[in-house]
Amino acid sequence: MSDAAARAARWVRPQVQSLTGYRVADPGEVIKLDAMENPWPWPGALEEAWLERLRTVAINRYPDAAARELKPLLRDGLGVPADAGLLLGNGSDELIQLIDLAVAGSGRTVLAPAPSFAMYRIIAEVTGATYAEVPLGPDFELDLPATLEALAAYQPAVTYLAHPNNPTGNGLDLDAVAEVVAQADGLVVVDEAYAPYADTTFLPRVLDHPNCLLLRTLSKVGLAGLRVGALIGHPAWLEELEKCRLPYNLSVPAQASAAFALEHRQALDRAVSHVLAERGRLAEALPAVPGVQQVWPTQTNFLTFRVPPGCGEAVYRGLLERGVLIKSLHGSHPRLADCLRVTVGRPEENDRFLEALAEALAAA
Ligand SMILES: Cc1ncc(COP(=O)(O)O)c(C=O)c1O
């Protein structure tokens, strides 16, 4: 072991050393359908106008720490209730980290249903918190009695509920969510990363509870590269969390670009409606591919499906060999054996995916 490795082993906290970090695949030259990005580019004229806007920003200056231009546009674009506070993050990942830094940490518990978003565990453990899971029901719905039991048993400082849930794609019953919030003493964060693709939202109900915050992101509507997340809720919570936020967490180009995008919401809305149309087409075509065993209903911009037992990894690799990158969920949770997750792409990408999937399944 090198001296540096020995020092790192001595000083990095054991909880961090035992973690497996979040792996991001190197896409290379492939059709990229692994990360819930929106694939629709802006029309050329709009892209030119955006580049013009970027020409005016001062990158020699620190960003506006209060995001004064962006915040009102986000409030309007997301429909944030007038009495609610708004805190911005470098993607919602950073907001999850900020919540856990402020509320979780050593000696406290973070709870989430399982299977759910991988970062809930990673970030909780990085902050020194204990991570506890409560299994989702047979159709990946919230198991209300089990969740209420888990609240009583663990007394979590923070509970994360993703609505809709990643990687299962389904929305949660919002009355069940409200019941969880009502019964929890600690903070409950309703993570609505996929809200643009969902039928329902908890947003109008967030202020009904003294212990609820709601997360949104611009990542799934074509702006994943900007890293802009929004945390919405009672100002009393957000004022405390604000103290943990690094003042310049949103770069000058990110703030200007997000503001520009929100001033041209039709382009974002168009990108969402294209995905919804393609999602419908994929949801019909996917179950008809020989070998696909189950496709779960989705309220997101991805579909989760199962292939025959023992074939999950081979199908994932077969797709990659044919130039299509999706996400293998196999091994991430016992309920997701031989499951794969595909992000809805552009029509020609989805066609290529369906073709490559049929071939990979036949070969597996
Ligand atoms: C449920 C959920 N929350 C949060 C995020 C993180 O999104 P962001 O790009 O805003 O960090 C994701 C990304 O996949 C997600 O699935």
Side-chain angles (χ1 to χ4, degrees):
M1 195 190 278
S2 71
D3 192 27
R7 296 290 177 102
R10 190 162 133 224
W11 285 103
V12 174
R13 287 187 288 121
Q15 215 163 4
V16 173
Q17 290 192 50
S18 62
L19 271 178
T20 308
Y22 190 86
R23 279 197 211 94
V24 179
D26 175 3
E29 288 298 307
V30 290
I31 294 175
K32 193 172 177 312
L33 302 176
D34 65 324
M36 285 78 87
E37 294 144 330
N38 187 307
W40 297 90
W42 286 348
L46 196 60
E47 192 174 272
E48 282 308 311
W50 166 57
L51 292 172
E52 266 316 302
R53 170 74 71 92
L54 279 184
R55 242 187 267 283
T56 68
V57 305
I59 56 161
N60 59 320
R61 303 288 178 198
Y62 282 110
D64 175 6
R68 275 169 287 231
E69 185 193 13
L70 178 55
K71 271 193 172 176
L73 288 162
L74 264 177
R75 292 190 84 94
D76 189 42
L78 299 178
V80 177
D83 300 344
L86 174 64
L87 194 155
L88 304 189
N90 198 267
S92 37
D93 280 347
E94 192 196 33
L95 292 167
I96 296 167
Q97 185 184 51
L98 210 135
I99 292 165
D100 286 1
L101 279 173
V103 186
S106 177
R108 296 189 171 199
T109 299
V110 173
L111 177 73
S116 193
F117 183 41
M119 291 309 294
Y120 299 150
R121 173 194 290 280
I122 294 173
I123 295 173
E125 292 185 345
V126 166
T127 72
T130 301
Y131 187 72
E133 293 180 331
V134 55
L136 287 167
D139 296 318
F140 294 133
E141 76 284 10
L142 201 58
D143 181 340
L144 188 55
T147 309
L148 298 183
E149 258 176 51
L151 287 179
Y154 298 115
Q155 295 291 323
V158 190
T159 301
Y160 288 99
L161 299 176
H163 167 70
N165 189 42
N166 173 18
T168 58
N170 57 300
L172 303 181
D173 172 354
L174 294 186
D175 290 331
V177 170
E179 187 58 20
V180 172
V181 184
Q183 296 300 321
D185 187 47
L187 177 64
V188 179
V189 179
V190 182
D191 181 351
E192 293 196 347
Y194 300 94
Y197 304 99
D199 297 339
T200 60
T201 169
F202 203 67
L203 186 56
R205 301 164 76 164
V206 69
L207 292 182
D208 295 349
H209 305 274
N211 58 334
C212 186
L213 294 173
L214 188 136
L215 266 176
R216 289 285 183 90
T217 179
L218 296 185
S219 293
K220 315 297 174 189
V221 294
L223 303 170
L226 294 184
R227 309 304 295 129
V228 177
L231 186 61
I232 300 160
H234 279 290
W237 280 96
L238 298 185
E239 281 159 18
E240 291 301 324
L241 296 180
E242 184 72 43
K243 297 177 196 168
C244 302
R245 182 179 70 85
L246 298 178
Y248 305 125
N249 61 336
L250 254 64
S251 75
V252 168
Q255 290 194 34
S257 302
F260 177 86
L262 288 162
E263 285 164 6
H264 297 87
R265 279 215 28 216
Q266 330 78 274
L268 302 182
D269 294 344
R270 216 175 303 124
V272 169
S273 51
H274 284 315
V275 166
L276 288 174
E278 276 300 294
R279 180 179 84 182
R281 194 170 75 86
L282 263 184
E284 274 187 23
L286 199 47
V289 176
V292 170
Q293 304 224 315
Q294 188 170 3
V295 182
W296 277 274
T298 181
Q299 290 202 23
T300 65
N301 61 343
F302 62 82
L303 288 107
T304 298
F305 62 100
R306 175 169 277 142
V307 296
C311 291
E313 281 301 314
V315 170
Y316 168 77
R317 280 196 306 277
L319 280 162
L320 202 52
E321 281 158 18
R322 291 167 177 82
V324 182
L325 175 65
I326 66 169
K327 174 92 173 173
S328 170
L329 303 173
H330 184 78
S332 65
H333 188 276
R335 299 267 312 269
L336 297 172
D338 297 298
C339 287
L340 299 154
R341 184 188 72 195
V342 62
T343 303
V344 179
R346 291 206 297 252
E348 64 278 15
E349 295 174 324
N350 299 331
D351 287 343
R352 181 66 201 119
F353 156 70
L354 288 167
E355 250 173 54
L357 178 66
E359 291 167 15
L361 272 163

